[in-house]
Amino acid sequence: ELQKIEDMLCPFGFEVYPFQVAWYNELLPPAFHLLLPGPTLAFLVLSTPAMFDQALKPFLQSCHLRMLTDPVDQCVAYHLGRVRESLPELQIEVIADYEVHPNRRPKILAQTAAHVAGAAYYYQRQDVEADPWGNQHISGVCIHPRFGGWFAIRGVVLLPGIEVPDLPPRKPHDCVPTRAARIALLEGFNFHWRDWTYRDAVTPQERYSEEQKAYFSTPPAQRLALLGLVQPSEKPSSPSPDFPFTTHTPKKPGKPSRARSWLSPRVSPPASPGP
């Protein structure tokens, strides 16, 4: 299954990392658990800088685009939907990173999933000894060993009924090991995310192109107009049933806490313009 999923996603700028549901559930309170047996196989899916050219642009040129608020979410939904359709016997469940329950609780805590899958290290204030932030709320951020912050977590693929009790754990690479570097990373992410510099916490193999940066710096409601797909005054239509994912509503920051928190669902702070 892993090879087939990789073959369908990796040529389009995605990466896929397997993990056991138990690894994820062990770090979270019951309200956030995935309700599947612990050894159930799951995959974390993230997008690299290459996704913009290899997946998004061809998707926009195809007939698949609907007038939703976020073409990237549509594109990701399309590719994850292809995976589900290609393996109908497995009854695959796909959870996009922005999906929420009716009570607004996230369906998946993407950064926690990325950490347990070994895809990216989730740096939090608890990782800084004697941190300097007092009562300030400090959101955590995942850093990829090859792309730094120039990537985005897109979702999780669950395979109910497929259990892998012998899957070896994959620890994420601690690529920001010093206290000073972690302080710089978390302060850059929380207070200066607009300048993109926190993403260079490690020297990246590849960054977003200037075109891609311009796209993600544009407010979501204006991105269709930027792409020439709709006039700024037009309102996008309702989500199509072909893309049954809910639209993302920014989360409010939580209360300040010095304890390790695996409950931050997004790659970026709530005010960030994009992945």
Side-chain angles (χ1 to χ4, degrees):
E1 288 80 8
L2 173 59
Q3 189 61 54
K4 188 165 186 177
I5 292 173
E6 286 183 333
D7 290 345
M8 295 192 69
L9 293 176
C10 293
F12 295 97
F14 297 98
E15 290 185 345
V16 180
Y17 295 83
F19 66 97
Q20 286 186 32
V21 164
W23 303 348
Y24 174 86
N25 286 350
E26 285 167 3
L27 294 178
L28 298 168
F32 290 90
H33 285 185
L34 295 170
L35 301 180
L36 291 167
T40 299
L41 179 61
F43 297 98
L44 185 284
V45 179
L46 61 82
S47 62
T48 72
M51 185 274 291
F52 195 79
D53 286 330
Q54 294 176 0
L56 181 63
K57 286 184 176 179
F59 178 80
L60 296 176
Q61 294 166 0
S62 74
C63 61
H64 301 294
L65 183 68
R66 308 307 203 262
M67 290 296 105
L68 299 185
T69 55
D70 195 329
V72 172
D73 287 345
Q74 273 192 90
C75 175
V76 173
Y78 169 74
H79 282 280
L80 294 182
R82 288 180 65 240
V83 171
R84 183 172 49 218
E85 292 165 6
S86 73
L87 298 166
E89 70 280 6
L90 296 182
Q91 298 182 321
I92 287 174
E93 180 183 354
V94 175
I95 306 177
D97 67 300
Y98 51 81
E99 286 192 87
V100 295
H101 293 287
N103 64 0
R104 311 306 299 166
R105 186 174 66 241
K107 289 188 176 182
I108 191 75
L109 297 180
Q111 299 201 103
T112 299
H115 189 94
V116 301
Y121 199 105
Y122 184 20
Y123 291 97
Q124 303 174 74
R125 72 182 296 170
Q126 185 65 22
D127 294 309
V128 177
E129 186 177 354
D131 77 63
W133 299 301
N135 291 327
Q136 287 181 289
H137 174 77
I138 299 294
S139 296
V141 61
C142 277
I143 294 295
H144 191 288
R146 287 183 294 112
F147 299 111
W150 302 96
F151 78 104
I153 305 166
R154 297 301 179 184
V156 166
V157 175
L158 301 171
L159 280 70
I162 304 296
E163 298 189 359
V164 285
D166 298 325
L167 184 69
R170 295 182 58 178
K171 290 187 177 181
H173 179 59
D174 181 4
C175 46
V176 187
T178 70
R179 178 179 183 272
R182 291 177 179 182
I183 289 174
L185 167 64
L186 291 172
E187 290 190 347
F189 177 66
N190 282 272
F191 308 131
H192 310 291
W193 49 263
R194 288 183 186 275
D195 67 12
W196 305 90
T197 56
Y198 82 85
R199 298 176 188 262
D200 287 332
V202 300
T203 302
Q205 182 175 302
E206 185 179 0
R207 295 179 176 90
Y208 290 171
S209 64
E210 291 303 313
E211 180 183 30
Q212 191 169 176
K213 287 164 68 176
Y215 177 84
F216 287 124
S217 295
T218 301
Q222 299 173 25
R223 289 176 183 170
L224 286 173
L226 179 72
L227 297 171
L229 296 172
V230 66
Q231 295 299 318
S233 59
E234 287 187 51
K235 293 184 178 180
S237 63
S238 299
S240 162
D242 292 341
F243 299 94
F245 295 135
T246 57
T247 54
H248 168 61
T249 300
K251 281 78 174 176
K252 296 179 181 178
K255 295 180 180 179
S257 172
R258 295 183 60 84
R260 172 173 289 279
S261 172
W262 297 98
L263 304 182
S264 177
R266 298 290 294 179
V267 170
S268 303
S272 174

